[in-house]
Amino acid sequence: MEDLSSDPRRRRDVDKLLSRPGNLVGQDFEPSPTLREGIGDIVRVLVVGAGGLGCELLKDLALSGFKNIDVIDMDTIEIQWSGWNTYKSN
């Protein structure tokens, strides 16, 4: 498997999120390269639901470098429906 850590496309969505104007940052806010690279260690993400959309979101978060991901899913996995899930184990 190839190493994606140096691929600039990996951080594309994180860069969009960091560059959005908001009420907590000034208009001239520019995220530092240290923040961009370290955000996966700093931020803790909670994903509620790991079904069809949630499992794709979890995959994307992990590939984007986020390391602190909590998942809440109260559903049970039934074998006949597990074929389309990316977290399926054999």
mmCIF file of all heavy atoms in Angstrom, residues 46-89:
data_model
loop_
_atom_site.group_PDB
_atom_site.id
_atom_site.type_symbol
_atom_site.label_atom_id
_atom_site.label_comp_id
_atom_site.label_asym_id
_atom_site.label_seq_id
_atom_site.Cartn_x
_atom_site.Cartn_y
_atom_site.Cartn_z
ATOM 1 N N LEU A 46 -16.264 12.809 17.254
ATOM 2 C CA LEU A 46 -17.298 11.853 17.628
ATOM 3 C C LEU A 46 -18.185 11.619 16.416
ATOM 4 O O LEU A 46 -18.738 12.554 15.847
ATOM 5 C CB LEU A 46 -18.146 12.387 18.785
ATOM 6 C CG LEU A 46 -19.380 11.554 19.150
ATOM 7 C CD1 LEU A 46 -18.968 10.171 19.659
ATOM 8 C CD2 LEU A 46 -20.225 12.275 20.180
ATOM 9 N N VAL A 47 -18.307 10.361 16.008
ATOM 10 C CA VAL A 47 -19.193 9.978 14.913
ATOM 11 C C VAL A 47 -20.320 9.154 15.515
ATOM 12 O O VAL A 47 -20.075 8.146 16.174
ATOM 13 C CB VAL A 47 -18.442 9.159 13.838
ATOM 14 C CG1 VAL A 47 -19.397 8.698 12.746
ATOM 15 C CG2 VAL A 47 -17.302 9.978 13.247
ATOM 16 N N VAL A 48 -21.542 9.619 15.316
ATOM 17 C CA VAL A 48 -22.708 8.898 15.816
ATOM 18 C C VAL A 48 -23.335 8.168 14.642
ATOM 19 O O VAL A 48 -23.831 8.787 13.714
ATOM 20 C CB VAL A 48 -23.729 9.860 16.471
ATOM 21 C CG1 VAL A 48 -24.939 9.091 16.958
ATOM 22 C CG2 VAL A 48 -23.075 10.629 17.609
ATOM 23 N N GLY A 49 -23.264 6.856 14.684
ATOM 24 C CA GLY A 49 -23.788 6.011 13.614
ATOM 25 C C GLY A 49 -22.682 5.563 12.689
ATOM 26 O O GLY A 49 -21.931 6.382 12.172
ATOM 27 N N ALA A 50 -22.547 4.271 12.528
ATOM 28 C CA ALA A 50 -21.505 3.728 11.657
ATOM 29 C C ALA A 50 -22.125 2.853 10.575
ATOM 30 O O ALA A 50 -21.580 1.829 10.200
ATOM 31 C CB ALA A 50 -20.496 2.937 12.479
ATOM 32 N N GLY A 51 -23.264 3.283 10.073
ATOM 33 C CA GLY A 51 -23.926 2.553 8.998
ATOM 34 C C GLY A 51 -23.314 2.900 7.658
ATOM 35 O O GLY A 51 -22.108 3.131 7.552
ATOM 36 N N GLY A 52 -24.143 2.969 6.640
ATOM 37 C CA GLY A 52 -23.668 3.216 5.286
ATOM 38 C C GLY A 52 -22.886 4.515 5.140
ATOM 39 O O GLY A 52 -21.824 4.540 4.533
ATOM 40 N N LEU A 53 -23.388 5.599 5.691
ATOM 41 C CA LEU A 53 -22.675 6.882 5.617
ATOM 42 C C LEU A 53 -21.579 6.986 6.660
ATOM 43 O O LEU A 53 -20.496 7.493 6.388
ATOM 44 C CB LEU A 53 -23.659 8.049 5.784
ATOM 45 C CG LEU A 53 -24.694 8.220 4.685
ATOM 46 C CD1 LEU A 53 -25.672 9.316 5.066
ATOM 47 C CD2 LEU A 53 -24.022 8.530 3.377
ATOM 48 N N GLY A 54 -21.872 6.504 7.860
ATOM 49 C CA GLY A 54 -20.911 6.613 8.952
ATOM 50 C C GLY A 54 -19.615 5.866 8.706
ATOM 51 O O GLY A 54 -18.534 6.356 9.031
ATOM 52 N N CYS A 55 -19.701 4.672 8.101
ATOM 53 C CA CYS A 55 -18.471 3.920 7.876
ATOM 54 C C CYS A 55 -17.608 4.598 6.818
ATOM 55 O O CYS A 55 -16.382 4.566 6.902
ATOM 56 C CB CYS A 55 -18.765 2.467 7.533
ATOM 57 S SG CYS A 55 -19.612 2.199 5.985
ATOM 58 N N GLU A 56 -18.220 5.250 5.842
ATOM 59 C CA GLU A 56 -17.442 6.007 4.855
ATOM 60 C C GLU A 56 -16.800 7.233 5.503
ATOM 61 O O GLU A 56 -15.653 7.567 5.214
ATOM 62 C CB GLU A 56 -18.325 6.434 3.681
ATOM 63 C CG GLU A 56 -18.692 5.308 2.768
ATOM 64 C CD GLU A 56 -17.478 4.706 2.072
ATOM 65 O OE1 GLU A 56 -16.636 5.457 1.551
ATOM 66 O OE2 GLU A 56 -17.383 3.471 2.052
ATOM 67 N N LEU A 57 -17.544 7.897 6.376
ATOM 68 C CA LEU A 57 -17.011 9.049 7.088
ATOM 69 C C LEU A 57 -15.834 8.641 7.969
ATOM 70 O O LEU A 57 -14.808 9.326 8.009
ATOM 71 C CB LEU A 57 -18.103 9.711 7.932
ATOM 72 C CG LEU A 57 -17.676 10.911 8.762
ATOM 73 C CD1 LEU A 57 -17.192 12.043 7.874
ATOM 74 C CD2 LEU A 57 -18.811 11.369 9.637
ATOM 75 N N LEU A 58 -15.962 7.522 8.670
ATOM 76 C CA LEU A 58 -14.873 7.027 9.507
ATOM 77 C C LEU A 58 -13.623 6.748 8.682
ATOM 78 O O LEU A 58 -12.507 7.095 9.081
ATOM 79 C CB LEU A 58 -15.310 5.762 10.253
ATOM 80 C CG LEU A 58 -16.333 5.976 11.346
ATOM 81 C CD1 LEU A 58 -16.927 4.643 11.786
ATOM 82 C CD2 LEU A 58 -15.710 6.705 12.520
ATOM 83 N N LYS A 59 -13.811 6.119 7.538
ATOM 84 C CA LYS A 59 -12.677 5.847 6.651
ATOM 85 C C LYS A 59 -12.012 7.149 6.212
ATOM 86 O O LYS A 59 -10.784 7.278 6.266
ATOM 87 C CB LYS A 59 -13.151 5.062 5.437
ATOM 88 C CG LYS A 59 -12.042 4.771 4.426
ATOM 89 C CD LYS A 59 -12.607 4.261 3.133
ATOM 90 C CE LYS A 59 -13.345 5.401 2.485
ATOM 91 N NZ LYS A 59 -13.589 5.335 1.093
ATOM 92 N N ASP A 60 -12.814 8.132 5.790
ATOM 93 C CA ASP A 60 -12.269 9.405 5.327
ATOM 94 C C ASP A 60 -11.539 10.154 6.437
ATOM 95 O O ASP A 60 -10.489 10.751 6.202
ATOM 96 C CB ASP A 60 -13.372 10.279 4.738
ATOM 97 C CG ASP A 60 -13.940 9.709 3.441
ATOM 98 O OD1 ASP A 60 -13.278 8.847 2.829
ATOM 99 O OD2 ASP A 60 -15.049 10.126 3.061
ATOM 100 N N LEU A 61 -12.096 10.128 7.642
ATOM 101 C CA LEU A 61 -11.429 10.783 8.772
ATOM 102 C C LEU A 61 -10.077 10.133 9.064
ATOM 103 O O LEU A 61 -9.078 10.813 9.280
ATOM 104 C CB LEU A 61 -12.313 10.732 10.024
ATOM 105 C CG LEU A 61 -13.515 11.660 10.030
ATOM 106 C CD1 LEU A 61 -14.457 11.287 11.173
ATOM 107 C CD2 LEU A 61 -13.084 13.109 10.130
ATOM 108 N N ALA A 62 -10.047 8.814 9.067
ATOM 109 C CA ALA A 62 -8.793 8.101 9.338
ATOM 110 C C ALA A 62 -7.764 8.377 8.251
ATOM 111 O O ALA A 62 -6.587 8.627 8.544
ATOM 112 C CB ALA A 62 -9.058 6.608 9.462
ATOM 113 N N LEU A 63 -8.182 8.376 7.000
ATOM 114 C CA LEU A 63 -7.251 8.656 5.907
ATOM 115 C C LEU A 63 -6.789 10.108 5.894
ATOM 116 O O LEU A 63 -5.730 10.411 5.347
ATOM 117 C CB LEU A 63 -7.894 8.300 4.559
ATOM 118 C CG LEU A 63 -8.070 6.810 4.289
ATOM 119 C CD1 LEU A 63 -8.861 6.586 3.005
ATOM 120 C CD2 LEU A 63 -6.727 6.102 4.225
ATOM 121 N N SER A 64 -7.578 11.003 6.501
ATOM 122 C CA SER A 64 -7.181 12.410 6.589
ATOM 123 C C SER A 64 -6.212 12.668 7.732
ATOM 124 O O SER A 64 -5.719 13.775 7.882
ATOM 125 C CB SER A 64 -8.412 13.298 6.764
ATOM 126 O OG SER A 64 -9.211 13.245 5.615
ATOM 127 N N GLY A 65 -5.965 11.661 8.563
ATOM 128 C CA GLY A 65 -4.973 11.811 9.624
ATOM 129 C C GLY A 65 -5.532 11.995 11.017
ATOM 130 O O GLY A 65 -4.777 12.183 11.953
ATOM 131 N N PHE A 66 -6.849 11.954 11.174
ATOM 132 C CA PHE A 66 -7.428 12.092 12.505
ATOM 133 C C PHE A 66 -7.196 10.797 13.286
ATOM 134 O O PHE A 66 -7.478 9.709 12.795
ATOM 135 C CB PHE A 66 -8.925 12.410 12.425
ATOM 136 C CG PHE A 66 -9.192 13.797 11.922
ATOM 137 C CD1 PHE A 66 -9.401 14.038 10.573
ATOM 138 C CD2 PHE A 66 -9.207 14.864 12.798
ATOM 139 C CE1 PHE A 66 -9.629 15.309 10.102
ATOM 140 C CE2 PHE A 66 -9.442 16.148 12.338
ATOM 141 C CZ PHE A 66 -9.650 16.371 10.992
ATOM 142 N N LYS A 67 -6.677 10.937 14.512
ATOM 143 C CA LYS A 67 -6.306 9.769 15.308
ATOM 144 C C LYS A 67 -7.223 9.527 16.495
ATOM 145 O O LYS A 67 -7.280 8.416 17.007
ATOM 146 C CB LYS A 67 -4.871 9.924 15.804
ATOM 147 C CG LYS A 67 -3.885 9.986 14.654
ATOM 148 C CD LYS A 67 -2.490 10.244 15.138
ATOM 149 C CE LYS A 67 -1.571 10.364 13.939
ATOM 150 N NZ LYS A 67 -0.256 10.817 14.306
ATOM 151 N N ASN A 68 -7.929 10.540 16.944
ATOM 152 C CA ASN A 68 -8.819 10.420 18.105
ATOM 153 C C ASN A 68 -10.270 10.417 17.626
ATOM 154 O O ASN A 68 -10.927 11.446 17.575
ATOM 155 C CB ASN A 68 -8.592 11.581 19.077
ATOM 156 C CG ASN A 68 -7.171 11.621 19.574
ATOM 157 O OD1 ASN A 68 -6.633 10.606 19.982
ATOM 158 N ND2 ASN A 68 -6.553 12.790 19.533
ATOM 159 N N ILE A 69 -10.755 9.233 17.255
ATOM 160 C CA ILE A 69 -12.098 9.100 16.716
ATOM 161 C C ILE A 69 -12.896 8.174 17.621
ATOM 162 O O ILE A 69 -12.491 7.042 17.874
ATOM 163 C CB ILE A 69 -12.074 8.521 15.290
ATOM 164 C CG1 ILE A 69 -11.209 9.392 14.373
ATOM 165 C CG2 ILE A 69 -13.486 8.388 14.740
ATOM 166 C CD1 ILE A 69 -10.979 8.795 13.002
ATOM 167 N N ASP A 70 -14.010 8.685 18.146
ATOM 168 C CA ASP A 70 -14.926 7.875 18.945
ATOM 169 C C ASP A 70 -16.163 7.580 18.103
ATOM 170 O O ASP A 70 -16.631 8.433 17.350
ATOM 171 C CB ASP A 70 -15.347 8.619 20.220
ATOM 172 C CG ASP A 70 -14.165 8.861 21.149
ATOM 173 O OD1 ASP A 70 -13.395 7.910 21.368
ATOM 174 O OD2 ASP A 70 -14.029 9.989 21.643
ATOM 175 N N VAL A 71 -16.692 6.364 18.246
ATOM 176 C CA VAL A 71 -17.842 5.941 17.468
ATOM 177 C C VAL A 71 -18.933 5.454 18.413
ATOM 178 O O VAL A 71 -18.666 4.666 19.319
ATOM 179 C CB VAL A 71 -17.476 4.795 16.491
ATOM 180 C CG1 VAL A 71 -18.676 4.407 15.647
ATOM 181 C CG2 VAL A 71 -16.303 5.187 15.626
ATOM 182 N N ILE A 72 -20.147 5.944 18.188
ATOM 183 C CA ILE A 72 -21.317 5.451 18.913
ATOM 184 C C ILE A 72 -22.271 4.894 17.883
ATOM 185 O O ILE A 72 -22.676 5.592 16.948
ATOM 186 C CB ILE A 72 -22.007 6.574 19.716
ATOM 187 C CG1 ILE A 72 -21.077 7.116 20.784
ATOM 188 C CG2 ILE A 72 -23.316 6.070 20.319
ATOM 189 C CD1 ILE A 72 -21.631 8.299 21.550
ATOM 190 N N ASP A 73 -22.610 3.630 18.030
ATOM 191 C CA ASP A 73 -23.565 2.989 17.130
ATOM 192 C C ASP A 73 -24.283 1.915 17.926
ATOM 193 O O ASP A 73 -23.670 0.969 18.388
ATOM 194 C CB ASP A 73 -22.857 2.388 15.921
ATOM 195 C CG ASP A 73 -23.842 1.993 14.838
ATOM 196 O OD1 ASP A 73 -24.922 1.459 15.173
ATOM 197 O OD2 ASP A 73 -23.547 2.213 13.664
ATOM 198 N N MET A 74 -25.566 2.079 18.087
ATOM 199 C CA MET A 74 -26.346 1.152 18.903
ATOM 200 C C MET A 74 -26.937 -0.001 18.099
ATOM 201 O O MET A 74 -27.549 -0.897 18.652
ATOM 202 C CB MET A 74 -27.474 1.913 19.611
ATOM 203 C CG MET A 74 -26.978 3.057 20.484
ATOM 204 S SD MET A 74 -25.796 2.557 21.737
ATOM 205 C CE MET A 74 -26.878 1.736 22.867
ATOM 206 N N ASP A 75 -26.750 0.009 16.779
ATOM 207 C CA ASP A 75 -27.289 -1.063 15.946
ATOM 208 C C ASP A 75 -26.459 -2.331 16.080
ATOM 209 O O ASP A 75 -25.281 -2.286 16.425
ATOM 210 C CB ASP A 75 -27.293 -0.651 14.469
ATOM 211 C CG ASP A 75 -28.303 0.439 14.186
ATOM 212 O OD1 ASP A 75 -29.203 0.634 15.020
ATOM 213 O OD2 ASP A 75 -28.183 1.096 13.140
ATOM 214 N N THR A 76 -27.090 -3.436 15.779
ATOM 215 C CA THR A 76 -26.364 -4.701 15.704
ATOM 216 C C THR A 76 -26.086 -5.006 14.239
ATOM 217 O O THR A 76 -26.843 -4.600 13.353
ATOM 218 C CB THR A 76 -27.173 -5.855 16.320
ATOM 219 O OG1 THR A 76 -28.431 -5.935 15.645
ATOM 220 C CG2 THR A 76 -27.401 -5.641 17.799
ATOM 221 N N ILE A 77 -24.998 -5.682 13.983
ATOM 222 C CA ILE A 77 -24.632 -6.034 12.621
ATOM 223 C C ILE A 77 -25.202 -7.406 12.309
ATOM 224 O O ILE A 77 -24.943 -8.373 13.017
ATOM 225 C CB ILE A 77 -23.096 -6.044 12.447
ATOM 226 C CG1 ILE A 77 -22.533 -4.665 12.745
ATOM 227 C CG2 ILE A 77 -22.725 -6.496 11.041
ATOM 228 C CD1 ILE A 77 -21.028 -4.611 12.782
ATOM 229 N N GLU A 78 -25.983 -7.469 11.259
ATOM 230 C CA GLU A 78 -26.546 -8.743 10.826
ATOM 231 C C GLU A 78 -25.760 -9.226 9.614
ATOM 232 O O GLU A 78 -25.455 -8.444 8.713
ATOM 233 C CB GLU A 78 -28.023 -8.580 10.489
ATOM 234 C CG GLU A 78 -28.854 -8.182 11.714
ATOM 235 C CD GLU A 78 -30.333 -8.105 11.410
ATOM 236 O OE1 GLU A 78 -30.786 -8.808 10.485
ATOM 237 O OE2 GLU A 78 -31.017 -7.341 12.085
ATOM 238 N N ILE A 79 -25.435 -10.495 9.614
ATOM 239 C CA ILE A 79 -24.581 -11.058 8.576
ATOM 240 C C ILE A 79 -25.114 -10.792 7.174
ATOM 241 O O ILE A 79 -24.361 -10.426 6.274
ATOM 242 C CB ILE A 79 -24.385 -12.581 8.800
ATOM 243 C CG1 ILE A 79 -23.687 -12.832 10.142
ATOM 244 C CG2 ILE A 79 -23.611 -13.210 7.653
ATOM 245 C CD1 ILE A 79 -22.322 -12.202 10.277
ATOM 246 N N GLN A 80 -26.408 -10.925 6.939
ATOM 247 C CA GLN A 80 -26.937 -10.756 5.589
ATOM 248 C C GLN A 80 -26.810 -9.327 5.074
ATOM 249 O O GLN A 80 -26.872 -9.104 3.877
ATOM 250 C CB GLN A 80 -28.394 -11.226 5.484
ATOM 251 C CG GLN A 80 -29.397 -10.355 6.209
ATOM 252 C CD GLN A 80 -29.741 -10.869 7.593
ATOM 253 O OE1 GLN A 80 -28.959 -11.573 8.206
ATOM 254 N NE2 GLN A 80 -30.902 -10.505 8.092
ATOM 255 N N TRP A 81 -26.624 -8.338 5.958
ATOM 256 C CA TRP A 81 -26.483 -6.946 5.522
ATOM 257 C C TRP A 81 -25.042 -6.445 5.579
ATOM 258 O O TRP A 81 -24.776 -5.301 5.268
ATOM 259 C CB TRP A 81 -27.354 -6.033 6.378
ATOM 260 C CG TRP A 81 -28.804 -6.357 6.283
ATOM 261 C CD1 TRP A 81 -29.587 -6.898 7.256
ATOM 262 C CD2 TRP A 81 -29.652 -6.193 5.147
ATOM 263 N NE1 TRP A 81 -30.869 -7.079 6.808
ATOM 264 C CE2 TRP A 81 -30.931 -6.653 5.506
ATOM 265 C CE3 TRP A 81 -29.452 -5.714 3.861
ATOM 266 C CZ2 TRP A 81 -32.003 -6.641 4.614
ATOM 267 C CZ3 TRP A 81 -30.530 -5.704 2.989
ATOM 268 C CH2 TRP A 81 -31.775 -6.166 3.375
ATOM 269 N N SER A 82 -24.110 -7.273 5.970
ATOM 270 C CA SER A 82 -22.742 -6.793 6.193
ATOM 271 C C SER A 82 -21.910 -6.724 4.920
ATOM 272 O O SER A 82 -20.801 -6.207 4.951
ATOM 273 C CB SER A 82 -22.042 -7.670 7.230
ATOM 274 O OG SER A 82 -21.903 -8.986 6.721
ATOM 275 N N GLY A 83 -22.406 -7.203 3.792
ATOM 276 C CA GLY A 83 -21.621 -7.228 2.566
ATOM 277 C C GLY A 83 -21.223 -5.866 2.049
ATOM 278 O O GLY A 83 -20.184 -5.703 1.411
ATOM 279 N N TRP A 84 -22.009 -4.838 2.304
ATOM 280 C CA TRP A 84 -21.713 -3.510 1.778
ATOM 281 C C TRP A 84 -20.923 -2.644 2.741
ATOM 282 O O TRP A 84 -20.487 -1.562 2.407
ATOM 283 C CB TRP A 84 -23.002 -2.803 1.384
ATOM 284 C CG TRP A 84 -24.018 -2.765 2.480
ATOM 285 C CD1 TRP A 84 -24.992 -3.677 2.707
ATOM 286 C CD2 TRP A 84 -24.133 -1.783 3.506
ATOM 287 N NE1 TRP A 84 -25.719 -3.324 3.823
ATOM 288 C CE2 TRP A 84 -25.216 -2.167 4.331
ATOM 289 C CE3 TRP A 84 -23.447 -0.622 3.824
ATOM 290 C CZ2 TRP A 84 -25.605 -1.423 5.433
ATOM 291 C CZ3 TRP A 84 -23.851 0.119 4.928
ATOM 292 C CH2 TRP A 84 -24.918 -0.294 5.719
ATOM 293 N N ASN A 85 -20.702 -3.086 3.967
ATOM 294 C CA ASN A 85 -19.976 -2.294 4.962
ATOM 295 C C ASN A 85 -18.479 -2.434 4.784
ATOM 296 O O ASN A 85 -17.965 -3.526 4.602
ATOM 297 C CB ASN A 85 -20.352 -2.726 6.371
ATOM 298 C CG ASN A 85 -21.301 -1.759 7.026
ATOM 299 O OD1 ASN A 85 -21.196 -0.573 6.792
ATOM 300 N ND2 ASN A 85 -22.203 -2.264 7.823
ATOM 301 N N THR A 86 -17.754 -1.324 4.879
ATOM 302 C CA THR A 86 -16.300 -1.351 4.698
ATOM 303 C C THR A 86 -15.597 -1.927 5.913
ATOM 304 O O THR A 86 -14.447 -2.325 5.819
ATOM 305 C CB THR A 86 -15.753 0.052 4.410
ATOM 306 O OG1 THR A 86 -16.122 0.921 5.478
ATOM 307 C CG2 THR A 86 -16.283 0.578 3.105
ATOM 308 N N TYR A 87 -16.240 -1.965 7.067
ATOM 309 C CA TYR A 87 -15.577 -2.488 8.273
ATOM 310 C C TYR A 87 -15.887 -3.959 8.492
ATOM 311 O O TYR A 87 -15.598 -4.504 9.531
ATOM 312 C CB TYR A 87 -15.935 -1.648 9.503
ATOM 313 C CG TYR A 87 -17.421 -1.591 9.821
ATOM 314 C CD1 TYR A 87 -18.049 -2.623 10.481
ATOM 315 C CD2 TYR A 87 -18.160 -0.489 9.459
ATOM 316 C CE1 TYR A 87 -19.397 -2.571 10.774
ATOM 317 C CE2 TYR A 87 -19.506 -0.424 9.746
ATOM 318 C CZ TYR A 87 -20.112 -1.464 10.398
ATOM 319 O OH TYR A 87 -21.449 -1.410 10.674
ATOM 320 N N LYS A 88 -16.470 -4.600 7.526
ATOM 321 C CA LYS A 88 -16.827 -6.015 7.635
ATOM 322 C C LYS A 88 -15.582 -6.865 7.866
ATOM 323 O O LYS A 88 -14.546 -6.662 7.247
ATOM 324 C CB LYS A 88 -17.515 -6.450 6.349
ATOM 325 C CG LYS A 88 -17.799 -7.929 6.275
ATOM 326 C CD LYS A 88 -18.345 -8.263 4.901
ATOM 327 C CE LYS A 88 -18.198 -9.731 4.657
ATOM 328 N NZ LYS A 88 -18.512 -10.109 3.306
ATOM 329 N N SER A 89 -15.686 -7.821 8.753
ATOM 330 C CA SER A 89 -14.579 -8.744 8.964
ATOM 331 C C SER A 89 -15.020 -10.133 8.533
ATOM 332 O O SER A 89 -16.178 -10.507 8.651
ATOM 333 C CB SER A 89 -14.159 -8.741 10.433
ATOM 334 O OG SER A 89 -15.220 -9.193 11.231
#
